[in-house]
Amino acid sequence: MKNLAVFASGSGTNFEALAQACADGRLDARIVLMVCDKPGAKVIERAERFGVESFVFSPKSYPSKADFEGEIVQMLRDRQVDLVCLAGYMRIVGSTLLSAFAGRIVNIHPSLLPSFKGAHAVEDAVAYGVKVYGITIHYVDETLDGGKIIAQRAFPYDGNDPDEVHRIGQKIEHELYVETVQKLLNN
Ligand code: GAR
């Protein structure tokens, strides 16, 4: 069985989708660590509920990104993590983590990349008048929402309510992340 780490900064619905799939046996893996850079984020409660160990930290309390990433790399190695899944981790991954886990860090993003990168992808797409939305899962590199695309799923939407796009998109995210992680673990 493969070991996953999930990184999140917010609500953690994607964390929960992955954790539930591990519990159900739809995903042949276990989450051995949840990493969160926002003390108080809802994802921390979700991790507790699933009995997943959390590492919660405040980036500001470290001298540099290399310092907190160095600590994280050590924890990932100690727990023999095979794949790191970013799930709403709103922070650019630095070279310390990238070089230690090269080709083994993936991210989910709520747009059809390379369109609409960043933290407000859905709001930006709605403002642009987009008619076909989507979700992307990609390898992580040192750029914001960059890196080679692994999977995408599109859906039509002809309205102007970002909340509705988020609702439709999140349902797709939860399915696509589980399917894609299982495929990556098979290879
Ligand atoms: C997800 O929609 C994910 O695609 C997005 O953050 C949300 C986290 O939701 N990620 C990005 O925008 C990355 N640039 P969750 O906390 O409920 O899983």
Side-chain angles (χ1 to χ4, degrees):
M1 188 175 287
K2 297 290 172 82
N3 292 333
L4 304 178
V6 178
F7 287 32
S9 305
S11 170
T13 65
N14 281 283
F15 164 83
E16 177 150 351
L18 291 166
Q20 189 60 55
C22 291
D24 292 349
R26 282 176 293 127
L27 194 49
D28 189 20
R30 63 187 150 225
I31 302 176
V32 294
L33 188 65
M34 192 285 290
V35 173
C36 178
D37 64 340
K38 288 265 156 50
K42 195 167 169 201
V43 67
I44 300 161
E45 287 167 43
R46 294 191 203 258
E48 266 169 35
R49 197 149 34 81
F50 280 88
V52 170
E53 183 189 359
S54 290
F55 173 61
V56 182
F57 69 103
S58 273
K60 279 182 286 184
S61 66
Y62 289 81
S64 72
K65 185 177 282 203
D67 288 286
F68 66 73
E69 287 198 345
E71 204 171 312
I72 292 170
V73 165
Q74 195 52 53
M75 280 190 278
L76 299 176
R77 287 195 174 129
D78 290 346
R79 288 157 187 73
Q80 300 184 309
V81 166
D82 297 291
L83 185 70
V84 172
C85 300
L86 307 188
Y89 182 65
M90 300 312 237
R91 190 165 291 282
I92 292 185
V93 174
S95 56
T96 305
L97 191 48
L98 276 174
S99 57
F101 279 80
R104 293 191 290 155
I105 309 177
V106 299
N107 180 44
I108 189 158
H109 182 76
S111 78
L112 293 172
L113 289 172
S115 293
F116 304 108
K117 297 179 178 188
H120 310 287
V122 168
E123 289 72 16
D124 293 347
V126 170
Y128 214 89
V130 159
K131 303 293 177 242
V132 179
Y133 291 78
I135 303 301
T136 301
I137 296 171
H138 62 95
Y139 288 107
V140 172
D141 66 15
E142 62 291 340
T143 63
L144 175 69
D145 298 320
K148 192 163 194 271
I149 291 170
I150 304 164
Q152 288 186 311
R153 193 159 292 168
F155 59 95
Y157 176 75
D158 190 3
N160 55 12
D161 180 2
D163 291 342
E164 202 177 350
V165 178
H166 275 294
R167 271 196 300 279
I168 301 167
Q170 283 232 306
K171 199 161 172 289
I172 294 172
E173 287 193 337
H174 301 159
E175 292 168 7
L176 188 64
Y177 219 176
V178 170
E179 284 170 29
T180 305
V181 167
Q182 185 59 61
K183 278 187 198 154
L184 289 170
L185 295 179
N186 289 342
N187 293 335

